[in-house]
Amino acid sequence: MSAVLLEIDGPKAVLTLNRPQDGNRMGDDIFHALEAAVHDLTGRSGLRALLLRAEGPNFCVGGAIDEFVRGEEALDQRLRRELPRVHRVIETLAGLSFPVVSALGGAVSGGGIGFALLADIVLAADDTFFRAGYPGIGLSPDLGGSYQIVRRAGATFASEFLISNRRVEAQEALRAGLVNAVHPAAGLDAAARALLDDLARGPTLSHAAVKRLVAAQAQTPLAAHLDLEMELMVDCAASDDSRRAIEAFLAKRSAIFSGS
């Protein structure tokens, strides 16, 4: 069973995270499958709209921490080696010339935030909640999450949300601007696919122009921000705090941070 499904229907594409049994957590299987799916996606002509969605009750619970610390390679070294590939996938999806919609349900945490919010239009089920996750293991954001939260909700909200690690429910996310609309969970997929149909019938050149104009107002390009995210996450991963916090996370006990 593929970790990511790519469905093409004429001008429409649907990209689905397909590891519902473990919350669609971002591990090697999803990273590699995303890379292949995006390569396939960008090699096609005539596409006019993309939907990002996930199977199961959770959109994405975050990174596969146990995988990241497995083996002899230090976490910071592994992140420096792997994150550029994953960040290129995020940058490619965010830079598509046609509209991208994401449909979120359940948990949206860690790297799942950057993946979810790269879309132009974000729809959420009423059971959706966001949690940064990074402070719990002594790391900083990746996959464009910090960029997208600031872009959508502003620096004030982003700082408090990412530092506090608190849970943000769907209605608060709507008020903050993280998501564009909230739907009953049972009707989310239908609403997202109806929007996908509408966008695929729309003025493609106009959509592309709007995306360029919105992107142009940002002071820092996403690519530069992704590079900064990688550098900061690698630094955090080399810290004693992160190492001990990850050990605590895997052992299902509370972490104690020393600031080192």
Side-chain angles (χ1 to χ4, degrees), residues 35 76-92 142-143 223 226-227 229-231 234:
E35 195 172 36
D76 56 319
Q77 295 173 347
R78 177 167 183 173
L79 290 172
R80 188 174 293 281
R81 175 172 55 82
E82 294 289 341
L83 275 180
R85 294 176 58 196
V86 184
H87 280 176
R88 280 194 295 272
V89 168
I90 297 297
E91 187 180 353
T92 299
D142 61 346
L143 275 65
L226 289 169
D227 288 342
E229 279 192 339
M230 182 186 73
E231 291 300 325
V234 167

Side-chain angles (χ1 to χ4, degrees), residues 50-258:
L50 169 67
L51 171 62
L52 306 177
R53 60 180 300 277
E55 287 294 327
N58 295 303
F59 181 79
C60 178
V61 299
I65 303 302
D66 57 336
E67 288 185 16
F68 300 161
V69 297
R70 189 180 300 155
E72 298 298 320
E73 189 176 21
L75 178 59
D76 56 319
Q77 295 173 347
R78 177 167 183 173
L79 290 172
R80 188 174 293 281
R81 175 172 55 82
E82 294 289 341
L83 275 180
R85 294 176 58 196
V86 184
H87 280 176
R88 280 194 295 272
V89 168
I90 297 297
E91 187 180 353
T92 299
L93 289 172
L96 291 171
S97 61
F98 46 82
V100 178
V101 176
S102 61
L104 316 179
V108 185
S109 302
I113 296 174
F115 183 69
L117 299 186
L118 67 82
D120 303 295
I121 302 173
V122 180
L123 307 183
D126 53 11
D127 65 353
T128 300
F129 68 91
F130 293 83
R131 177 170 280 149
Y134 301 101
I137 52 174
L139 292 178
S140 55
D142 61 346
L143 275 65
S146 58
Y147 181 96
Q148 302 298 356
I149 294 169
V150 173
R151 181 175 73 96
R152 286 183 157 271
T156 300
F157 178 90
S159 295
E160 187 271 338
F161 168 70
L162 290 169
I163 289 172
S164 71
N165 204 27
R166 68 181 179 88
R167 174 168 166 151
V168 170
E169 306 290 346
Q171 288 299 327
E172 183 183 356
L174 178 62
R175 293 192 298 271
L178 284 184
V179 305
N180 296 91
V182 175
H183 295 271
L188 175 67
D189 202 60
R193 290 178 184 273
L195 177 58
L196 184 71
D197 290 343
D198 185 54
L199 292 172
R201 292 192 297 265
T204 302
L205 292 178
S206 174
H207 291 162
V210 168
K211 291 191 64 162
R212 287 188 62 185
L213 289 168
V214 171
Q217 68 82 38
Q219 295 183 355
T220 304
L222 175 59
H225 191 87
L226 289 169
D227 288 342
L228 178 61
E229 279 192 339
M230 182 186 73
E231 291 300 325
L232 293 175
M233 182 176 253
V234 167
D235 288 345
C236 287
S239 71
D240 290 336
D241 267 356
S242 180
R243 177 179 56 79
R244 291 170 182 153
I246 288 172
E247 289 173 355
F249 174 84
L250 295 174
K252 294 182 170 54
R253 53 181 170 80
S254 297
I256 298 174
F257 296 105
S258 65

